[in-house]
């Protein structure tokens, strides 16, 4: 059952042999209740649903940033490598994103891609507020991914008044909200654009540095550097990780395909919980060169832990809610990031993910 819990994850992916020898769609065996990379095309859905999914045609999924081992990137990569998309009769192409989530939203709205990952619900809200027509169907984590790093000697954020802060082109709205909530005189801080080498902080070139919990702190720790992280959620700032958007027309015409894409993704997520190195290897194969597998294993572990620890009580993994979207929208409005809160009920389908689970909270696989 994938509802919020405080204990460690049980072992998943227990090996079991599938005794199905099938051709085409709609096998009639029960399969294995745990994710295993041994299924065949059409194993997980009835013949009629298989045909409907094939009729949806090729599906392009744009990742948030390349093949980084983040939530909503590593799990679709693994779903394809493990054959889960084949098992639900989907023809999925993975397209690496550039990190420009506005571009992802525009690709989906135009129908150039059918499904994509956004860094969180706030990205969706801003794009929708700017007139981009997409529908949010899933969210994995319910906590901001942004963090602010300082030297350990900083014990109060007000100590940053009059200092220099390094950021990547703009101060993340969650960090701005945290600083203001802590009583920091943000106007007194000199903001400079820095590259992607976080050692500028420990070298004293900046006194604080924005980043992602699953990236820069890991790089610094690997170097043996100790820094302090200041996290927006500790100051009441809302946020989220890994929100899935779809083209509204595609969702309306091919709902089963969207459902089964997410079903395969969620199954792969569970598999990667206890097979992280294997799943990172699939991403490394796609990236081909220059892929730091050790770092990406830490990225996955960090984001997986953030997703798991922030899952709201009584909800299933991936579930999205209008109210959680609204809390982020209200925050964005207060921070001047949007001029008005869009009709969130109209651009959020909260029913897709819960329908993938049975009454006990177990993911339905296979679909019968």
């Amino acid at each position: 059952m994938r509802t919020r819990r405080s204990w460690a994850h049980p072992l998943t992916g227990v090996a079991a042999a599938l005794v199905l020898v099938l051709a085409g769609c709609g096998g009639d065996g029960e399969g294995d209740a745990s994710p295993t990379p041994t299924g065949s095309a059409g194993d997980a859905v009835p013949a009629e649903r298989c045909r409907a999914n094939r009729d949806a045609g090729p599906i392009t999924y744009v990742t948030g940033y390349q093949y980084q081992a983040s939530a909503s990137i590593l799990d679709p990569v693994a779903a394809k490598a493990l054959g889960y998309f084949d098992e639900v009769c989907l023809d999925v192409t993975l397209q690496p994103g550039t990190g420009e989530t506005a571009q992802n939203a525009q690709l989906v709205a135009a129908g150039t891609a059918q499904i994509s990952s956004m860094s969180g619900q706030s990205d969706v809200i801003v794009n929708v507020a700017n007139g981009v027509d997409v529908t949010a169907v899933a969210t994995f984590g319910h906590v901001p991914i942004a963090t602010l790093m300082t030297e350990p000697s900083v014990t109060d954020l007000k100590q940053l008044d009059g200092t220099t802060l390094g950021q990547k082109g703009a101060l993340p709205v969650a960090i701005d909200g945290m600083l203001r909530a802590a009583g920091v005189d943000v106007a007194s801080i000199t903001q400079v654009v820095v590259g992607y080498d976080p050692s500028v902080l420990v070298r004293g070139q900046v006194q604080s540095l924005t980043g992602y919990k699953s990236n820069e702190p890991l790089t610094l720790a690997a170097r043996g550097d100790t820094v302090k992280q200041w996290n927006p959620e500790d100051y009441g700032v809302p946020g989220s990780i890994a929100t899935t958007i779809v083209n509204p027309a595609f969702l309306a015409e091919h709902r089963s395909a969207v459902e089964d894409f997410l079903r395969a993704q969620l199954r792969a997520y569970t598999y990667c919980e206890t097979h992280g190195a294997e799943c990172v290897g699939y991403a490394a194969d796609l990236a081909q060169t220059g892929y730091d597998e050790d770092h990406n294993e830490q990225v996955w572990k960090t984001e997986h832990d953030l997703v798991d620890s922030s899952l709201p009580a009584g909800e299933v993994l991936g579930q999205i809610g209008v109210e959680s979207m609204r809390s982020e929208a209200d925050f964005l409005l207060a921070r001047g990031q949007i001029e008005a809160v869009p009709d969130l009920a109209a651009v959020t389908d909260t029913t897709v993910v819960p329908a993938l689970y049975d009454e006990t909270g177990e993911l339905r696989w296979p679909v019968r």
Side-chain angles (χ1 to χ4, degrees):
M1 180 174 179
R2 292 310 312 273
T3 53
R4 185 174 183 175
R5 54 183 183 271
S6 59
W7 38 272
H9 291 286
L11 291 177
T12 56
V14 179
L18 292 176
V19 295
L20 305 175
V21 180
L22 301 171
C25 301
D28 58 2
E30 288 301 312
D32 176 24
S34 299
T36 59
T38 55
S40 301
D43 277 358
V45 289
E48 183 177 355
R49 191 176 182 96
C50 179
R51 285 191 292 270
N53 287 351
R54 293 201 190 284
D55 288 345
I59 294 173
T60 296
Y61 179 81
V62 184
T63 71
Y65 178 69
Q66 301 295 329
Y67 295 116
Q68 181 171 282
S70 294
S72 79
I73 299 178
L74 190 65
D75 28 332
V77 166
K80 186 171 178 68
L82 294 167
Y84 296 163
F85 290 135
D86 290 337
E87 289 188 59
V88 293
C89 304
L90 293 178
D91 177 10
V92 176
T93 296
L94 302 175
Q95 179 176 317
T98 63
E100 294 291 337
T101 53
Q103 182 181 72
N104 288 15
Q106 290 163 3
L107 289 171
V108 170
T112 305
Q114 287 68 47
I115 310 176
S116 180
S117 171
M118 305 289 278
S119 62
Q121 295 174 163
S122 289
D123 275 345
V124 179
I125 294 165
V126 169
N127 277 279
V128 168
N130 289 333
V132 182
D133 187 17
V134 296
T135 300
V137 293
T139 291
F140 281 74
H142 298 270
V143 63
I145 191 68
T147 189
L148 183 72
M149 294 157 284
T150 68
E151 290 284 4
S153 58
V154 176
T155 58
D156 189 320
L157 284 173
K158 291 181 182 179
Q159 291 174 242
L160 298 181
D161 285 358
T163 63
T164 301
L165 177 150
Q167 38 96 330
K168 304 297 190 296
L171 183 64
V173 64
I175 300 300
D176 178 73
M178 175 182 71
L179 292 172
R180 294 181 188 280
V184 176
D185 181 4
V186 176
S188 74
I189 294 177
T190 299
Q191 297 186 36
V192 297
V193 177
V194 297
Y196 289 88
D197 177 5
S199 67
V200 296
L201 174 63
V202 295
R203 293 200 306 267
Q205 293 176 268
V206 297
Q207 286 68 60
S208 59
L209 178 69
T210 64
Y212 295 96
K213 294 169 184 170
S214 56
N215 193 13
E216 290 87 351
L218 304 178
T219 299
L220 290 169
R223 287 168 38 98
D225 295 319
T226 301
V227 298
K228 185 168 184 176
Q229 287 183 243
W230 301 83
N231 295 320
E233 62 271 24
D234 296 331
Y235 292 81
V237 176
S240 50
I241 303 170
T243 297
T244 303
I245 57 171
V246 301
N247 177 279
F250 185 82
L251 175 62
E253 188 173 357
H254 302 292
R255 189 177 183 88
S256 73
V258 174
E259 290 177 346
D260 290 340
F261 180 97
L262 290 168
R263 191 189 310 276
Q265 178 182 356
L266 289 163
R267 182 170 169 84
Y269 185 98
T270 300
Y271 184 83
C272 294
E273 286 181 319
T274 52
H275 297 77
E278 177 188 342
C279 293
V280 168
Y282 298 139
D285 290 342
L286 291 176
Q288 297 183 343
T289 59
Y291 194 85
D292 187 336
E293 293 190 45
D294 290 340
H295 175 74
N296 274 282
E297 283 185 46
Q298 291 302 309
V299 170
W300 170 248
K301 182 182 185 304
T302 301
E303 294 207 11
H304 160 265
D305 289 347
L306 288 170
V307 168
D308 188 69
S309 63
S310 66
L311 185 62
E315 292 190 5
V316 292
L317 178 66
Q319 187 169 345
I320 190 171
V322 170
E323 289 310 309
S324 68
M325 292 271 286
R326 191 173 307 282
S327 67
E328 290 191 48
D330 289 343
F331 174 74
L332 292 171
L333 182 66
R335 298 262 66 84
Q337 299 297 304
I338 56 176
E339 294 183 358
V341 175
D343 183 357
L344 298 175
V347 299
T348 307
D349 192 325
T350 63
T351 66
V352 176
V353 169
L356 307 179
Y357 293 83
D358 65 21
E359 61 279 0
T360 70
E362 293 292 335
L363 186 71
R364 298 181 189 272
W365 190 288
V367 183
R368 296 289 181 257

